[in-house]
Amino acid sequence: GRRAALLGRARQSPTELFPLLKQYVLGNASLPRDDPFWEATAGVFREVIATDPDSKEWMGYCARGDIDSFVAKSCAPGPGSSILAGVPADAWFCGRTAGMDWGAMGAPVADLCNAPSGSAYRPGGICASVGNKQLLIDFVTRGPEQWGIDHTLINVPSQDCLMGILDCDIEYCRRCAGRCSAE
C-alpha cells in the first residue's frame, strides 16, 4: 500500500525521506486526524529514522527503559549542548523559561521541564494531545528544516514524539545541566 510505496521510495535514508515525507504529508493534510494514514505514516517515519545510528541508539535506550544511558548520551557534548542565544540549545527543546526570550511564541509550546514523568503518550500528554497527524505536519512544516531559522520551533512537538522517546526526553531535560534551569 501507500506505506510500502513511501518506504520503498525513501530507500531507508532519513535525508532521502524528508522531501518525500513532506510531499506525502502535506498532500494528505485534508484527511481526518483518525484516518489510518497517519498511524501508518508515523510508522514509516519511525522505521526510517531508526536507520540513523544516533536515533537508533536513543530509541533503543528508551525502549529498554535505560534512562541513565539515554541521559548520558543526551548530555554529552554535541548539538544539544552548544550555546544558542546564550543557553544550551536543548534548553529551547526542553521548554526552559528562566533566562529565555521566547519571542513571538511568548512561551514554550511543550514544557518538558514540568511534564509528569511517563506522561508524554498518555491522554493529555505532550505527544498524545497532538496526535500523529499534527506531529507529522509539524515535523514537515516546523521541524528540523526550520530550526536553524527560528530556534524556538525546536520546542514544537514533532520528531521526538514520533520517535517514541519523549518520555525519556522529559527525564533528560530534568537531569542535564542548563536544560530546565540556569544552573
Side-chain angles (χ1 to χ4, degrees):
R2 289 185 269 183
R3 179 177 179 274
L6 179 62
L7 191 57
R9 287 182 62 202
R11 295 192 306 273
Q12 302 289 320
S13 168
T15 54
E16 292 176 12
L17 174 68
F18 186 77
L20 297 171
L21 183 66
K22 185 173 187 176
Q23 178 183 10
Y24 199 58
V25 166
L26 295 179
N28 288 285
S30 63
L31 292 174
R33 177 185 173 142
D34 60 353
D35 190 284
F37 168 86
W38 299 112
E39 180 59 36
T41 304
V44 169
F45 174 89
R46 280 187 291 277
E47 286 179 48
V48 174
I49 200 74
T51 65
D52 169 71
D54 281 328
S55 297
K56 183 177 183 173
E57 188 176 354
W58 273 304
M59 292 166 78
Y61 289 144
C62 198
R64 291 189 301 277
D66 186 354
I67 302 299
D68 291 337
S69 295
F70 184 96
V71 170
K73 177 176 177 56
S74 299
C75 291
S81 298
S82 63
I83 301 301
L84 179 63
V87 299
D90 272 355
W92 297 102
F93 169 73
C94 294
R96 177 177 140 185
T97 56
M100 309 285 279
D101 178 2
W102 283 88
M105 283 179 68
V109 173
D111 182 359
L112 279 70
C113 295
N114 294 300
S117 294
S119 67
Y121 300 94
R122 292 185 189 152
I126 291 169
C127 300
S129 65
V130 177
N132 284 327
K133 176 181 180 175
Q134 193 61 49
L135 291 171
L136 287 159
I137 290 172
D138 285 345
F139 178 76
V140 300
T141 62
R142 301 170 80 185
E145 205 172 61
Q146 291 76 31
W147 295 342
I149 299 164
D150 180 355
H151 56 270
T152 64
L153 293 177
I154 196 170
N155 181 256
V156 175
S158 65
Q159 180 174 306
D160 286 20
C161 283
L162 290 164
M163 289 171 66
I165 64 173
L166 205 76
D167 280 327
C168 294
D169 284 329
I170 290 169
E171 297 307 317
Y172 152 65
C173 289
R174 292 181 182 154
R175 294 187 196 181
C176 196
R179 301 324 189 256
C180 289
S181 67
E183 301 89 53

